């Protein structure tokens, strides 16, 4: 077995020796899993990323792409499997881009995700010390309340599912997918059969030809209501039959249009074909209306646990004025409400704010002061209300520098950062530490079993100068 790294070939190798047509296989030991879902091994000073291997495994792999200090390799064989390895309960695991760790025992996934956060925070040992174990799911399957399935294949053999791992242009069927529900699988089968019978062509991003782009399925885990949005490149007479095709599998059916010239499926116009165009979902007994495009946490059960934790922390802190930044449709603001407490909320997406206001009425909640604005542009009058608790829940990109600076300058005694990306959390953290904050506790929550993502709540307190 050849354990020689191609980079280690002597530069002066005799010209007479032809280079091998394929690079030689390497034997590697996986040191750990890293955030983006790769397994990491080392060869001398080089880091090698491999997909499909687990920490501690001895494997054989072949280099597929090489950079100066790191390389990517394809797994050929597992020589010594990890005791955490299990049979993935999905026939397309490894090919489908949806799950990275379906072949790893769930408790080991949780420990690995805590490791992702420890890695991200290793420059601040006192902060990393505050990290609790990840709150995992009791049954980590059929947990997503929203999936966007892409159309692929051909008009004669359409496929509806997820992008193939490493190939954005190929689609792998989601007919066996464990992430959403058995009803979602039935919807996929029915829509695929209809597209095949009618000869409706899937859209191909490379040629910019075709009609069917993607299918969004949203399901209320607590209410059982289902919304289906089909996005096409242009109107087509056959599309009007979609409600009939879906029958009682969907309570409301919508058609969205995203012209072929768009690079991604950016929905320009939406028509409602059946029902009210939105569904309801509940979180800890609060009812939310969910439209086709509004942001809503995709794992209902874990969102409930995360928001209960956040509400319990807020109750301990007893803020008089609490400010929810990046508020979406208001679940955090709603969980912050308490007698004698003023809650302010800032969100940039007008439809989410309008839905939040309706949700507030629907739940007969006390008033919340809403502001539709970018956090970067939040008027000083909001910070002048002197919030004693600021909660931030930014998108994966984290806080924009201007937003982070303004939040830190507000010097609220308590701050809770809800992060869905350890990398941007680690980028934003030093600003708050420099502003005099200390981290009190970090509670990770597994919102995305089998994927590498990890969400966490970080509680900061402003330390008094000595
Ligand atoms: C991760 S979501 C959180 C939403 C809400 N807290 C929840 O749990 O459902 C981030 C939200 O921030 C909003 N957003 C993104 N950039 C923003 C900005 N610059 N200013 C204000 N809101 C923003 C998005 O529209 C989205 O609703």
């Amino acid at each position: 077995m050849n354990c020689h790294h191609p980079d280690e070939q002597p530069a002066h190798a005799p010209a007479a020796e032809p280079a091998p047509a394929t690079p030689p296989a390497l034997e590697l030991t996986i040191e750990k899993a890293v955030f983006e879902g790769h397994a990491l091994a080392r060869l001398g000073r080089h880091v090698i990323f491999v997909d499909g291997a687990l920490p501690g495994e001895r494997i054989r792999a072949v280099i597929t792409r090489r950079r100066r200090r790191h390389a990517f390799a394809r797994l050929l064989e597992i020589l010594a499997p990890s005791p955490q390895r299990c049979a993935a309960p999905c026939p397309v695991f490894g090919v489908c881009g949806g799950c990275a760790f379906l072949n790893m025992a769930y408790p080991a996934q949780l420990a690995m995700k805590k490791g992702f956060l420890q890695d991200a925070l290793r420059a601040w040992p006192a902060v990393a010390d505050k990290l609790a174990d990840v709150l995992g799911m009791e049954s980590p399957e059929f947990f997503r309340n929203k999936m966007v399935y892409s159309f692929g294949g051909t008009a004669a053999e359409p496929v509806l599912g997820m992008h193939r791992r490493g190939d954005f242009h190929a689609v792998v069927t989601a007919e066996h997918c464990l992430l959403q529900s058995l009803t979602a699988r039935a919807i996929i089968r029915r829509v695929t059969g209809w597209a095949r019978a009618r000869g409706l062509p899937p859209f191909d991003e490379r040629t910019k030809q075709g009609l069917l782009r993607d299918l969004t399925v949203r399901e209320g885990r607590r209410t059982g209501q289902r919304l289906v949005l089909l996005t096409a490149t242009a109107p087509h007479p056959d599309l009007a039959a979609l409600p009939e095709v879906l029958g009682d599998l969907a309570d409301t059916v919508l058609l969205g249009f995203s012209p072929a010239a768009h690079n991604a499926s950016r929905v320009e116009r939406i028509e409602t074909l059946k029902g009210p165009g939105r569904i309801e979902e509940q979180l800890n007994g609060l009812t939310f209306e969910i439209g086709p495009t509004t942001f809503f946490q995709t794992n209902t059960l874990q969102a409930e646990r995360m928001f209960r934790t956040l509400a319990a922390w807020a109750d301990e802190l007893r803020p008089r004025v609490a400010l929810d930044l990046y508020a979406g449709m208001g679940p955090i603001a709603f969980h912050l409400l308490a007698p004698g407490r003023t809650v302010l909320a800032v969100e940039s997406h007008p439809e989410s704010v309008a839905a939040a206001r309706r949700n507030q009425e629907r739940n007969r909640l006390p008033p919340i002061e809403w502001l539709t604005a970018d956090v970067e542009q939040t008027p000083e009058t909001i910070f002048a209300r002197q919030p004693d608790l600021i909660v931030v829940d930014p998108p994966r990109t984290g806080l924009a520098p201007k937003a982070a600076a303004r939040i830190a300058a507000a010097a609220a005694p308590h701050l809770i950062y809800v992060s869905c990306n350890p990398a941007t959390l680690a980028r934003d953290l030093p600003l708050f530490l420099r502003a005099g904050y200390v981290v009190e506790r970090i509670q990770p929550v597994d919102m995305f079993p089998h994927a590498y993502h990890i969400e966490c709540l970080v509680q900061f307190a402003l330390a008094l100068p000595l």
Side-chain angles (χ1 to χ4, degrees):
M1 189 156 301
N2 193 341
C3 301
H4 216 58
H5 186 270
D7 277 356
E8 292 173 358
Q9 300 292 349
H12 55 270
E17 256 182 50
T22 49
L26 307 168
E27 244 187 71
L28 301 166
T29 299
I30 303 300
E31 186 180 305
K32 60 181 177 180
V34 287
F35 182 59
E36 290 78 9
H38 300 298
L40 179 151
R42 289 182 201 275
L43 196 74
R45 287 179 297 111
H46 296 270
V47 165
I48 302 184
F49 296 110
V50 196
D51 274 351
L54 302 185
E57 289 188 330
R58 188 86 190 137
I59 61 158
R60 233 159 52 82
V62 64
I63 302 276
T64 50
R65 266 183 301 153
R66 213 183 301 176
R67 302 282 179 270
R68 209 163 66 84
R69 298 297 299 272
H70 67 273
F72 294 89
R74 182 162 46 81
L75 179 66
L76 296 176
E77 187 185 356
I78 295 160
L79 303 171
S82 158
Q84 306 299 345
R85 178 171 282 276
C86 58
C90 171
V92 292
F93 175 71
V95 183
C96 171
C99 292
F101 298 109
L102 206 50
N103 58 350
M104 187 179 200
Y106 187 56
Q109 289 186 30
L110 298 178
M112 174 188 72
K113 290 187 182 191
K114 184 175 180 185
F116 292 163
L117 279 160
Q118 275 161 337
D119 269 0
L121 300 173
R122 68 176 174 275
W124 305 278
V127 174
D129 263 4
K130 306 286 177 172
L131 195 54
D133 287 343
V134 179
L135 284 178
M137 297 197 76
E138 263 174 43
S139 310
E141 59 268 336
F142 300 130
F143 53 86
R144 286 190 68 109
N145 58 33
K146 177 189 174 189
M147 291 283 282
V148 181
Y149 303 103
S150 299
F151 285 94
T154 61
E157 272 314 316
V159 180
L160 188 50
M162 263 78 82
H163 293 289
R164 180 179 276 267
R165 193 177 281 201
D167 181 359
F168 184 78
H169 298 294
V171 174
V172 175
T173 178
E175 276 180 36
H176 316 280
C177 187
L178 283 164
L179 297 183
Q180 192 162 24
S181 68
L182 293 177
T183 311
R185 290 182 184 179
I187 291 173
I188 289 167
R189 277 196 296 277
R190 216 175 276 180
V191 172
T192 312
W194 163 70
R196 185 187 304 111
R198 306 302 307 170
L200 301 175
F203 177 67
D204 186 331
E205 196 68 58
R206 288 162 296 192
T207 60
K208 300 282 178 200
Q209 301 295 313
L211 178 71
L212 305 177
R213 275 186 176 271
D214 51 52
L215 191 84
T216 301
V217 179
R218 295 191 99 152
E219 291 184 288
R221 276 282 162 275
R222 297 285 186 210
T223 61
Q225 297 175 14
R226 280 183 292 276
L227 173 154
V228 174
L229 164 71
L230 185 144
T231 304
T233 49
H236 186 287
D238 280 358
L239 299 179
L242 190 61
E244 214 179 302
V245 171
L246 290 166
D248 59 6
L249 293 179
D251 299 284
T252 186
V253 180
L254 303 102
L255 266 187
F257 297 101
S258 172
H262 285 180
N263 279 335
S265 174
R266 183 157 44 86
V267 184
E268 255 185 9
R269 186 167 62 81
I270 295 184
E271 275 174 26
T272 304
L273 298 182
K274 173 186 170 184
R278 37 183 190 259
I279 55 166
E280 286 185 341
E281 173 63 313
Q282 288 175 347
L283 287 176
N284 294 323
L286 295 162
T287 303
F288 293 83
E289 78 164 48
I290 309 179
T293 59
T294 36
F295 177 89
F296 192 75
Q297 300 285 347
T298 53
N299 186 331
T300 299
L301 268 65
Q302 291 296 85
E304 289 184 330
R305 294 179 82 185
M306 183 169 83
F307 293 142
R308 278 202 302 270
T309 305
L310 191 141
W313 289 5
D315 285 346
E316 285 174 28
L317 300 172
R318 297 169 166 272
R320 200 181 35 84
V321 179
L323 173 57
D324 175 12
L325 299 177
Y326 306 89
M329 288 196 291
I332 292 179
F334 293 0
H335 280 82
L336 288 173
L337 285 166
R341 193 181 292 164
T342 300
V343 177
L344 314 164
V346 180
E347 160 64 41
S348 61
H349 186 223
E351 284 167 37
S352 296
V353 175
R357 289 200 164 106
R358 288 194 294 272
N359 289 334
Q360 203 179 322
E361 268 180 37
R362 185 181 264 114
N363 291 287
R364 297 199 171 83
L365 295 174
I368 290 172
E369 294 178 42
W370 280 93
L371 180 71
T372 309
D374 280 345
V375 170
E376 302 81 304
Q377 311 296 336
T378 307
E380 267 317 315
T381 47
I382 295 284
F383 294 110
R385 304 283 291 278
Q386 298 193 323
D388 353 73
L389 170 64
I390 300 180
V391 181
V392 297
D393 184 9
R396 287 179 55 71
T397 44
L399 298 172
K402 196 172 159 195
R406 296 195 73 188
I407 296 161
H414 302 284
L415 180 72
I416 299 175
Y417 190 137
V418 185
S419 162
C420 57
N421 184 347
T424 50
L425 172 65
R427 185 203 61 202
D428 296 341
L429 180 72
L431 183 98
F432 293 107
L433 299 180
R434 280 200 301 275
Y437 282 95
V438 290
V439 171
E440 301 266 293
R441 49 188 164 180
I442 308 176
Q443 180 58 68
V445 182
D446 190 23
M447 291 284 191
F448 304 100
H450 322 305
Y452 61 82
H453 298 286
I454 179 70
E455 188 106 3
C456 67
L457 297 174
V458 184
Q459 185 190 328
F460 294 86
L462 194 58
L464 289 175
L466 294 174

